[in-house]
Amino acid sequence: MAVDLLGGDDAPAVVVDGALRAVRTDPDLHLLLVGPTEVADGLIGALDPEQRARVTVRPVRTVVGMADHPTAARGESTVRAAVHAVRDGFADALVSAGSTGATVTAAALGLGRWTGVRRPALVATLPAVDGPVVLLDVGGTLEPGPATLARHAVLGAAYAAVAHGVTAPRVGLLSVGTEAGKGDRLRRSAAPALAAVPLPCGARYIGLVEGYDVSLGTRADVVVTDGFTGNVLLKAIEGAYAMAGGPPASGGAPRAAALLGVAGTVVVCHGAARPDDVASGIALAAHLWRRGATDTVSTLLDAVPHDPAPDRNDTEVAP
Amino acid sequence: MAVDLLGGDDAPAVVVDGALRAVRTDPDLHLLLVGPTEVADGLIGALDPEQRARVTVRPVRTVVGMADHPTAARGESTVRAAVHAVRDGFADALVSAGSTGATVTAAALGLGRWTGVRRPALVATLPAVDGPVVLLDVGGTLEPGPATLARHAVLGAAYAAVAHGVTAPRVGLLSVGTEAGKGDRLRRSAAPALAAVPLPCGARYIGLVEGYDVSLGTRADVVVTDGFTGNVLLKAIEGAYAMAGGPPASGGAPRAAALLGVAGTVVVCHGAARPDDVASGIALAAHLWRRGATDTVSTLLDAVPHDPAPDRNDTEVAP
């Protein structure tokens, strides 16, 4: 697992702590630390010899020049180096808590997109009443069109089945009501597209779902929405759990999300990640890689016909 | 208070229960029940003589003909009659748990819009860490443009000050990050509009806020967003509280919202309202009317210059 040491608001301290936890918890985990050698050395120094043998370093000298946002600039150079490590076969997957935009861009450029996926999706899994709810997109593509949402429905269904073992996933489109026709223009044009697209893994489209269905998960296993709404929603649920005195026993809002649509296993942690979040991001990347989830989802996707002329005015992540 | 007896998924039973609670709780409350006489008679029969004296009835015969959705059709006729009762001075305010779209349309047509408010906003107040958070819009205008969001910022600031006594409200625009420039096209064009608009009651625009800020309320007192995102968000927070075993001690997600931008006090309850929600909607309407909130907010709004050529492609509530 390539770990971007400089990604995140509190990098490198939080990333170092998270990586230490991951190495100590999972005896089969090998880490490739991407960043300044002095940071990597500090981390390695805290490990015992057996653990040290599972950690290697890819030094990245940080060049901070004229950039307006030096932290972001540093993070971008490390996430690019981590992407190259995956591309060149030095790592199986990468984890970054850096800027979502920089990570998505670096991964799409460095690893390539899957055929038929013009817009990658960030996929978050929330623990809910009847099992996990897969929410996508949570910030990969802020302004998708109907064809992208339909493609993301296929992605989400395959991911729920492959990554979480959900049988015959129920797929819903997030809107302001469940009656057909409810919603804004995007939802009204996307609903027929989702109803028409063949879904893999025995999944079926169940129609419109509401905000409750993301947190409770009683009606759908996969909830499809645009990256703007998904991102805002996930953070609001996290805030609500904090207000309520803590997350439910089944777990809170995830602070790590899988990036689907690029040719590699990529996990993005929350920019304000704590060490536990970084560790859970590394664990998620390991889980996905061990299941061969990215390749399997990509293969499932290839079998589903897609619109060769996708939405023209999709907007990718914010600048 | 005019109460639409037939609005809501479980009308009239839930509305009758809610109205009974409201009459028993607030000794100064007078209700005008709008709906079938047999339903109103049942409600009145459950009251003692003093309480009965505070309840009058405006009979609405329900005509259910060729409509595809008989319940919705019934609700629309009662909400229109409730609007007319307010317009003609028989009631000071109205409360409906019926379709948001039908209520907004009936209120806008029957009572008229405020000058300079082309798109009404549904405003929800969430209890948060440092006091209430005013969230708008939660479903009145699903696809506002930047000018409408700026107008809603003014509305929200005035409402926070007048209805909740918030001093110098901090107003934020909901997005996917707090750094300037984060967000989709709407947010990027709306941020300068919100920064430029003069805000009433000493309010100031603090920039972009995130999903957490809606549930926690530590950074902003007023959060401005489009009606689609606000509606989905409010329901996700409600679901999260249910998942967490119940809302925080300060209170959960509100299930009644004020409609601002029409010339009258109008409160919309959640379609899946329970009796307590209907009672709290009636209490909110009474609170707003006693404070003269609607008139005061409207007057404050008149003092703020507005773009005479508002956004052209705003979409009002879904069909």
Side-chain angles (χ1 to χ4, degrees):
Chain A
M1 301 291 131
V3 176
D4 169 8
L5 288 176
L6 294 187
D9 301 345
D10 300 310
V14 161
V15 181
V16 167
D17 272 7
L20 284 173
R21 287 179 204 203
V23 170
R24 287 170 179 153
T25 309
D26 182 345
D28 297 323
L29 188 72
H30 288 69
L31 292 189
L32 176 67
L33 305 176
V34 183
T37 44
E38 62 275 20
V39 173
D41 288 347
L43 191 159
I44 291 169
L47 294 170
D48 66 35
E50 180 279 324
Q51 292 162 347
R52 270 181 217 178
R54 295 190 278 117
V55 175
T56 47
V57 181
R58 173 167 281 225
V60 175
R61 211 171 298 164
T62 60
V63 184
V64 181
M66 302 295 287
D68 289 322
H69 303 289
T71 318
R74 287 189 306 161
E76 283 181 31
S77 68
T78 48
V79 79
R80 270 201 303 272
V83 164
H84 295 161
V86 173
R87 182 194 63 193
D88 301 338
F90 295 104
D92 296 314
L94 86 89
V95 177
S96 177
S99 143
T100 302
T103 308
V104 174
T105 305
L109 293 176
L111 303 175
R113 294 188 178 91
W114 294 345
T115 321
V117 177
R118 193 152 150 266
R119 301 296 176 197
L122 267 178
V123 185
T125 304
L126 294 92
V129 171
D130 294 332
V133 168
V134 167
L135 175 66
L136 77 171
D137 176 21
V138 299
T141 301
L142 295 185
E143 290 177 89
T148 296
L149 288 181
R151 204 73 184 138
H152 285 182
V154 178
L155 261 180
Y159 184 80
V162 172
H164 301 299
V166 177
T167 319
R170 299 160 298 168
V171 178
L173 175 65
L174 187 63
S175 193
V176 296
T178 56
E179 305 89 342
K182 281 272 184 184
D184 57 6
R185 272 172 288 211
L186 175 60
R187 276 17 91 157
R188 293 202 299 274
S189 55
L194 265 73
V197 73
L199 296 171
C201 307
R204 65 196 165 87
Y205 174 63
I206 59 148
L208 302 180
V209 298
E210 296 183 88
Y212 328 103
D213 298 306
V214 176
S215 24
L216 292 172
T218 40
R219 296 185 58 239
D221 306 300
V222 177
V223 174
V224 177
T225 192
D226 61 280
F228 181 87
T229 305
N231 184 287
V232 163
L233 204 65
L234 193 62
K235 291 172 179 167
I237 291 173
E238 190 182 326
Y241 287 149
M243 272 295 287
S250 53
R255 289 166 67 97
L259 181 65
L260 293 186
V262 299
T265 301
V266 178
V267 167
V268 178
C269 297
H270 206 294
R274 294 164 303 226
D276 274 347
D277 303 322
V278 173
S280 75
I282 296 173
L284 173 62
H287 168 80
L288 294 176
W289 184 79
R290 284 169 184 154
R291 286 214 173 193
T294 307
D295 288 348
T296 310
V297 169
S298 168
T299 306
L300 286 165
L301 211 68
D302 281 343
V304 174
H306 69 279
D307 188 345
D311 309 309
R312 300 205 162 219
N313 64 348
D314 282 3
T315 302
E316 253 183 81
V317 289
Chain B
M1 302 291 131
V3 176
D4 169 8
L5 288 175
L6 294 187
D9 302 346
D10 301 311
V14 161
V15 180
V16 167
D17 272 7
L20 284 173
R21 287 179 204 203
V23 170
R24 287 169 180 153
T25 309
D26 183 344
D28 297 322
L29 187 72
H30 289 69
L31 292 189
L32 175 67
L33 305 177
V34 183
T37 42
E38 62 275 20
V39 173
D41 288 347
L43 193 158
I44 291 168
L47 295 170
D48 65 34
E50 180 280 324
Q51 292 162 344
R52 269 181 218 177
R54 294 189 280 117
V55 176
T56 47
V57 181
R58 173 168 281 225
V60 175
R61 211 171 299 166
T62 61
V63 184
V64 181
M66 302 294 289
D68 289 324
H69 301 289
T71 317
R74 285 190 307 162
E76 284 181 30
S77 68
T78 49
V79 80
R80 270 201 304 271
V83 164
H84 294 162
V86 172
R87 183 195 62 194
D88 301 337
F90 296 104
D92 296 314
L94 86 88
V95 177
S96 176
S99 143
T100 302
T103 307
V104 174
T105 305
L109 293 176
L111 304 175
R113 293 188 177 90
W114 294 345
T115 320
V117 178
R118 193 152 150 267
R119 300 297 178 196
L122 266 177
V123 185
T125 305
L126 293 91
V129 171
D130 294 332
V133 169
V134 167
L135 174 67
L136 77 168
D137 177 20
V138 298
T141 302
L142 295 185
E143 289 178 272
T148 296
L149 287 180
R151 204 72 185 139
H152 285 181
V154 179
L155 261 181
Y159 184 80
V162 172
H164 300 300
V166 177
T167 320
R170 299 160 300 167
V171 178
L173 175 65
L174 188 64
S175 193
V176 296
T178 56
E179 305 89 341
K182 280 273 183 182
D184 56 6
R185 272 172 289 210
L186 175 60
R187 276 17 92 157
R188 293 203 298 274
S189 56
L194 265 74
V197 73
L199 295 171
C201 307
R204 64 196 167 87
Y205 174 63
I206 59 149
L208 302 181
V209 299
E210 296 183 88
Y212 327 103
D213 298 306
V214 176
S215 22
L216 292 172
T218 40
R219 296 185 57 241
D221 306 300
V222 177
V223 174
V224 177
T225 192
D226 62 278
F228 181 87
T229 305
N231 183 288
V232 163
L233 205 65
L234 192 63
K235 291 172 180 169
I237 291 173
E238 189 183 326
Y241 286 148
M243 271 296 287
S250 53
R255 290 167 66 98
L259 181 65
L260 293 186
V262 298
T265 301
V266 177
V267 167
V268 177
C269 296
H270 206 296
R274 294 164 304 226
D276 273 348
D277 303 322
V278 173
S280 75
I282 295 172
L284 173 62
H287 169 79
L288 294 176
W289 184 79
R290 284 168 185 153
R291 286 216 174 191
T294 308
D295 287 348
T296 309
V297 169
S298 167
T299 306
L300 286 165
L301 211 69
D302 281 343
V304 174
H306 69 278
D307 188 345
D311 309 310
R312 301 208 161 218
N313 64 350
D314 283 1
T315 303
E316 253 183 78
V317 289

